[in-house]
Amino acid sequence: MSADEGLRASGVTVRFGSLTALDGALLAVPPGTVTGLVGPGGAGKTALLDVICGLRRPARGEIRLDGRDLADAPTHARARMGVARTFQRPRAFGTLTVRQNVRLAAEARAMTRPVAGRTAADRFRRRRAAVRDAAREADALLDRVGVAGYADAVPARLPPGAVRLMELARALATRPRLLLLDDPSAGLPVPESRALEVLLRDLAAEGLAVLLAERDVERVMGVCDELYVLRSGRTVTSGPPFQVRAALRDRETAPAAAH
């Protein structure tokens, strides 16, 4: 696998006691693309995102990012490598404003990422300058995702869809190479959902690898380059969206045709 191929997961198996949540699941997310991970509730989508970002260790399987094996990398190390994540149930620092939530992520990235410089003092000055720029970067990201009007509000007072978009802005503040989104359009009105699709296509055009987990194939048809379908923890089909949708329809009609 070459160093510019983004994410590759293969043979991923996760068990919760006697329950198998993932059974040899696989997918690939190249840079510059939006890849969909679809399947009904309980199919294993969130479990696979948890494995990719390091929240859960698989019983078997391999996760590679840009050719690097992530097996022994903890969550914070994967974040520094460029993995960012949003959650099915958005997470926020409830006592902080929306702007402060995003600024905190930008400041953390500025303090932990390597900074070029001839001397330690030079690198320190550049890092401190990046921290000072975090507030401006947070405002720009909130504007980009469409929730700048909520910048001074606390997340608990926001509509659920706005909290999801704040969480997306916070993930983008880490300047990721791989963006994992778990059901990001839930709670969004149709116009905001369409705007999110445009934003994800723009992010992919900038070289980001985007993995989008959703329940319904129809909700990702217009945004994804490739789809992977999970059923009972297994990857049952993959390919371009229209090809996958046709394959799923064939599966649904096959029993009726047999009669």
Side-chain angles (χ1 to χ4, degrees), residues 33-85:
T33 66
V34 180
T35 300
L37 179 65
V38 297
K45 303 184 299 298
T46 296
L48 184 52
L49 296 189
D50 286 346
V51 170
I52 293 168
C53 72
L55 289 177
R56 190 172 300 281
R57 291 184 67 87
R60 291 198 307 270
E62 184 177 68
I63 304 290
R64 289 185 174 272
L65 179 62
D66 296 337
R68 298 179 64 179
D69 186 354
L70 301 185
D72 297 322
T75 303
H76 68 271
R78 298 187 196 204
R80 292 180 184 179
M81 293 176 193
V83 179
R85 164 86 183 274

Coordinates of all heavy atoms in Angstrom, one line a residue, residues 33-85:
T33 N -11.8 11.8 -1.4 CA -13.1 11.2 -1.6 C -14.0 11.2 -0.4 O -13.5 11.4 0.7 CB -12.9 9.7 -2.0 OG1 -12.4 9.0 -0.9 CG2 -12.0 9.5 -3.2
V34 N -15.3 11.1 -0.7 CA -16.3 10.8 0.4 C -16.7 9.4 0.2 O -17.3 9.0 -0.8 CB -17.5 11.8 0.3 CG1 -18.5 11.5 1.4 CG2 -17.0 13.2 0.3
T35 N -16.5 8.6 1.2 CA -16.9 7.2 1.2 C -18.0 7.0 2.2 O -18.0 7.4 3.3 CB -15.7 6.3 1.6 OG1 -14.6 6.5 0.6 CG2 -16.1 4.8 1.6
G36 N -19.1 6.2 1.8 CA -20.2 6.0 2.6 C -20.1 4.6 3.3 O -19.7 3.6 2.6
L37 N -20.5 4.5 4.5 CA -20.6 3.3 5.3 C -22.1 3.2 5.7 O -22.5 4.0 6.6 CB -19.7 3.3 6.5 CG -19.7 2.1 7.4 CD1 -19.2 0.8 6.6 CD2 -18.8 2.3 8.6
V38 N -22.9 2.4 5.1 CA -24.3 2.3 5.3 C -24.8 1.0 5.8 O -24.1 0.0 5.6 CB -25.1 2.7 4.1 CG1 -24.8 4.1 3.6 CG2 -24.8 1.8 2.9
G39 N -25.9 1.0 6.5 CA -26.4 -0.2 7.1 C -27.4 0.1 8.2 O -27.4 1.2 8.7
P40 N -28.3 -0.8 8.5 CA -29.3 -0.5 9.5 C -28.7 -0.4 10.9 O -27.5 -0.7 11.1 CB -30.2 -1.8 9.5 CG -29.3 -2.9 8.9 CD -28.4 -2.2 8.0
G41 N -29.5 0.1 11.9 CA -29.0 0.1 13.3 C -28.6 -1.2 13.7 O -29.2 -2.2 13.5
G42 N -27.4 -1.3 14.4 CA -26.9 -2.5 14.9 C -26.0 -3.3 13.9 O -25.5 -4.3 14.1
A43 N -25.8 -2.7 12.7 CA -25.0 -3.3 11.6 C -23.5 -3.3 12.0 O -22.8 -4.1 11.4 CB -25.2 -2.6 10.3
G44 N -23.1 -2.4 12.8 CA -21.7 -2.3 13.2 C -21.0 -1.1 12.7 O -19.7 -1.0 12.9
K45 N -21.7 -0.1 12.2 CA -21.1 1.1 11.7 C -20.3 1.9 12.8 O -19.1 2.2 12.6 CB -22.1 2.0 11.1 CG -22.9 1.4 10.0 CD -23.9 2.4 9.3 CE -24.9 2.9 10.3 NZ -25.8 1.9 10.9
T46 N -21.0 2.1 13.9 CA -20.3 2.9 15.0 C -19.1 2.1 15.5 O -18.1 2.6 15.9 CB -21.3 3.2 16.1 OG1 -22.3 4.1 15.5 CG2 -20.6 3.9 17.3
A47 N -19.3 0.8 15.7 CA -18.2 -0.1 16.2 C -17.0 0.0 15.3 O -15.8 0.1 15.7 CB -18.6 -1.5 16.3
L48 N -17.2 0.1 13.9 CA -16.0 0.2 13.0 C -15.4 1.6 13.2 O -14.1 1.7 13.2 CB -16.5 -0.1 11.6 CG -15.4 -0.1 10.5 CD1 -14.3 -1.0 10.9 CD2 -16.0 -0.4 9.2
L49 N -16.2 2.6 13.3 CA -15.6 3.9 13.5 C -14.8 4.0 14.8 O -13.7 4.6 14.9 CB -16.7 5.0 13.5 CG -17.5 5.3 12.3 CD1 -18.3 6.5 12.4 CD2 -16.6 5.4 11.0
D50 N -15.3 3.3 15.9 CA -14.6 3.2 17.1 C -13.2 2.5 17.0 O -12.3 3.0 17.6 CB -15.4 2.5 18.2 CG -16.6 3.3 18.7 OD1 -16.7 4.5 18.5 OD2 -17.5 2.7 19.3
V51 N -13.2 1.5 16.2 CA -11.9 0.8 16.0 C -11.0 1.7 15.2 O -9.8 1.8 15.5 CB -12.2 -0.5 15.2 CG1 -10.9 -1.1 14.7 CG2 -12.9 -1.5 16.0
I52 N -11.5 2.4 14.2 CA -10.6 3.2 13.4 C -9.9 4.4 14.2 O -8.8 4.6 14.1 CB -11.3 3.8 12.2 CG1 -11.8 2.7 11.2 CG2 -10.5 4.9 11.4 CD1 -12.8 3.1 10.2
C53 N -10.7 5.0 15.1 CA -10.2 6.1 15.9 C -9.5 5.6 17.2 O -9.0 6.5 17.9 CB -11.3 7.1 16.1 SG -12.5 6.7 17.4
G54 N -9.6 4.4 17.5 CA -8.8 3.8 18.6 C -9.6 3.7 19.9 O -9.0 3.4 21.0
L55 N -10.9 3.9 19.9 CA -11.7 3.8 21.1 C -12.0 2.3 21.4 O -12.4 2.0 22.5 CB -13.1 4.5 20.9 CG -13.0 6.0 20.9 CD1 -14.4 6.6 20.6 CD2 -12.5 6.6 22.2
R56 N -11.8 1.5 20.4 CA -12.1 0.0 20.7 C -11.0 -0.8 20.0 O -10.7 -0.5 18.8 CB -13.5 -0.4 20.2 CG -13.9 -1.7 20.6 CD -15.3 -2.0 20.3 NE -16.2 -1.0 20.9 CZ -16.6 -1.1 22.2 NH1 -16.2 -2.0 23.0 NH2 -17.5 -0.2 22.6
R57 N -10.5 -1.8 20.6 CA -9.5 -2.7 20.0 C -10.2 -3.9 19.4 O -11.1 -4.5 20.1 CB -8.5 -3.2 21.0 CG -7.6 -2.1 21.5 CD -6.5 -2.6 22.5 NE -5.6 -3.5 21.8 CZ -4.5 -3.1 21.1 NH1 -4.2 -1.8 21.2 NH2 -3.7 -3.9 20.6
P58 N -9.9 -4.2 18.2 CA -10.6 -5.4 17.6 C -10.0 -6.7 18.0 O -8.8 -6.7 18.4 CB -10.3 -5.2 16.1 CG -9.0 -4.4 16.0 CD -9.0 -3.5 17.3
A59 N -10.8 -7.8 17.9 CA -10.2 -9.1 18.2 C -9.3 -9.5 17.1 O -8.3 -10.2 17.3 CB -11.4 -10.1 18.3
R60 N -9.6 -9.1 15.9 CA -8.7 -9.4 14.7 C -8.9 -8.2 13.7 O -9.8 -7.4 13.8 CB -9.2 -10.7 14.0 CG -8.9 -11.9 14.8 CD -8.9 -13.2 13.8 NE -10.2 -13.2 13.1 CZ -11.3 -13.8 13.5 NH1 -11.3 -14.4 14.6 NH2 -12.3 -13.8 12.7
G61 N -8.0 -8.2 12.8 CA -8.1 -7.2 11.7 C -7.0 -6.2 11.7 O -6.2 -6.1 12.7
E62 N -6.9 -5.4 10.7 CA -5.8 -4.4 10.5 C -6.4 -3.1 10.1 O -7.4 -3.0 9.3 CB -4.9 -4.9 9.4 CG -3.7 -4.0 9.1 CD -2.8 -4.6 8.1 OE1 -3.2 -4.7 6.9 OE2 -1.7 -5.1 8.4
I63 N -5.9 -2.0 10.6 CA -6.2 -0.6 10.3 C -5.0 0.1 9.9 O -4.0 0.1 10.7 CB -6.9 0.1 11.5 CG1 -8.1 -0.6 12.0 CG2 -7.3 1.5 11.1 CD1 -9.3 -0.6 11.1
R64 N -4.9 0.6 8.7 CA -3.8 1.4 8.2 C -4.2 2.8 7.7 O -5.2 2.9 7.1 CB -3.0 0.6 7.1 CG -2.3 -0.6 7.6 CD -1.5 -1.2 6.5 NE -0.7 -2.3 7.0 CZ 0.6 -2.2 7.5 NH1 1.1 -1.0 7.5 NH2 1.2 -3.2 8.0
L65 N -3.4 3.8 8.1 CA -3.6 5.1 7.6 C -2.3 5.6 6.9 O -1.3 5.6 7.5 CB -4.0 6.1 8.7 CG -4.2 7.5 8.3 CD1 -5.4 7.7 7.4 CD2 -4.4 8.4 9.6
D66 N -2.5 5.9 5.6 CA -1.3 6.3 4.8 C -0.2 5.3 4.9 O 1.0 5.6 5.0 CB -0.9 7.7 5.1 CG -1.9 8.7 4.8 OD1 -2.8 8.5 4.0 OD2 -1.9 9.8 5.5
G67 N -0.5 4.0 5.0 CA 0.5 2.9 5.0 C 0.9 2.6 6.4 O 1.7 1.6 6.6
R68 N 0.5 3.3 7.4 CA 1.0 3.1 8.8 C 0.0 2.2 9.5 O -1.2 2.5 9.5 CB 1.2 4.4 9.6 CG 2.2 5.3 8.9 CD 2.3 6.6 9.7 NE 2.8 6.4 11.1 CZ 2.9 7.4 12.0 NH1 2.7 8.7 11.6 NH2 3.4 7.2 13.2
D69 N 0.5 1.2 10.2 CA -0.3 0.3 11.0 C -0.7 1.0 12.3 O 0.2 1.4 13.0 CB 0.4 -1.0 11.3 CG -0.4 -2.0 12.0 OD1 -1.6 -1.7 12.3 OD2 0.1 -3.2 12.1
L70 N -2.0 1.1 12.5 CA -2.5 1.8 13.7 C -2.8 0.9 14.9 O -3.3 1.4 15.9 CB -3.8 2.6 13.4 CG -3.7 3.7 12.3 CD1 -5.0 4.4 12.2 CD2 -2.5 4.6 12.5
A71 N -2.4 -0.4 14.8 CA -2.8 -1.3 15.8 C -2.4 -0.9 17.2 O -3.2 -1.1 18.2 CB -2.2 -2.7 15.5
D72 N -1.3 -0.4 17.4 CA -0.8 -0.1 18.8 C -0.9 1.4 19.1 O -0.4 1.8 20.2 CB 0.7 -0.5 19.0 CG 0.8 -2.0 18.8 OD1 -0.1 -2.8 19.3 OD2 1.8 -2.5 18.2
A73 N -1.5 2.2 18.2 CA -1.6 3.6 18.5 C -2.9 4.0 19.3 O -4.0 3.6 18.9 CB -1.7 4.4 17.1
P74 N -2.7 4.6 20.5 CA -3.9 5.0 21.2 C -4.7 6.1 20.5 O -4.2 6.7 19.5 CB -3.3 5.5 22.6 CG -1.9 5.9 22.2 CD -1.5 5.0 21.1
T75 N -5.8 6.5 21.1 CA -6.7 7.5 20.5 C -6.0 8.8 20.2 O -6.1 9.4 19.1 CB -7.9 7.7 21.3 OG1 -8.6 6.5 21.5 CG2 -8.9 8.7 20.7
H76 N -5.3 9.3 21.2 CA -4.6 10.6 21.1 C -3.5 10.6 20.0 O -3.3 11.6 19.3 CB -4.1 11.1 22.4 CG -2.9 10.3 23.0 ND1 -3.1 9.2 23.7 CD2 -1.6 10.5 22.8 CE1 -1.9 8.7 24.0 NE2 -0.9 9.4 23.5
A77 N -2.8 9.5 19.9 CA -1.8 9.3 18.9 C -2.4 9.3 17.5 O -1.9 9.9 16.5 CB -1.0 8.1 19.1
R78 N -3.6 8.7 17.3 CA -4.2 8.7 16.0 C -4.7 10.1 15.7 O -4.7 10.5 14.5 CB -5.4 7.7 16.1 CG -4.9 6.2 16.3 CD -6.0 5.2 16.2 NE -5.6 3.9 16.8 CZ -6.1 2.8 16.4 NH1 -7.1 2.7 15.5 NH2 -5.7 1.7 17.0
A79 N -5.2 10.8 16.7 CA -5.6 12.2 16.5 C -4.5 13.0 15.9 O -4.6 13.8 15.0 CB -6.2 12.8 17.7
R80 N -3.3 12.8 16.5 CA -2.1 13.6 16.0 C -1.7 13.1 14.6 O -1.1 13.9 13.9 CB -0.9 13.4 17.0 CG -1.2 14.0 18.3 CD 0.0 13.8 19.3 NE -0.2 14.4 20.6 CZ 0.6 14.3 21.6 NH1 1.8 13.7 21.4 NH2 0.3 14.9 22.8
M81 N -2.0 11.9 14.3 CA -1.7 11.4 12.9 C -2.7 11.9 11.9 O -2.5 11.8 10.7 CB -1.8 9.9 12.9 CG -0.7 9.2 13.6 SD -0.9 7.4 13.6 CE 0.2 6.9 14.9
G82 N -3.8 12.5 12.4 CA -4.8 13.1 11.4 C -6.1 12.5 11.4 O -6.9 12.8 10.5
V83 N -6.5 11.7 12.4 CA -7.8 11.1 12.5 C -8.7 12.0 13.4 O -8.4 12.3 14.5 CB -7.8 9.7 13.1 CG1 -9.2 9.1 13.2 CG2 -6.8 8.8 12.3
A84 N -9.8 12.4 12.8 CA -10.8 13.2 13.6 C -12.2 12.5 13.5 O -12.5 11.9 12.5 CB -10.9 14.6 13.0
R85 N -13.0 12.8 14.5 CA -14.3 12.0 14.6 C -15.4 12.8 15.1 O -15.2 13.6 16.0 CB -14.0 10.8 15.5 CG -15.2 10.1 16.1 CD -15.7 9.0 15.2 NE -16.9 8.4 15.6 CZ -17.0 7.3 16.5 NH1 -15.8 6.8 16.9 NH2 -18.1 6.8 16.8

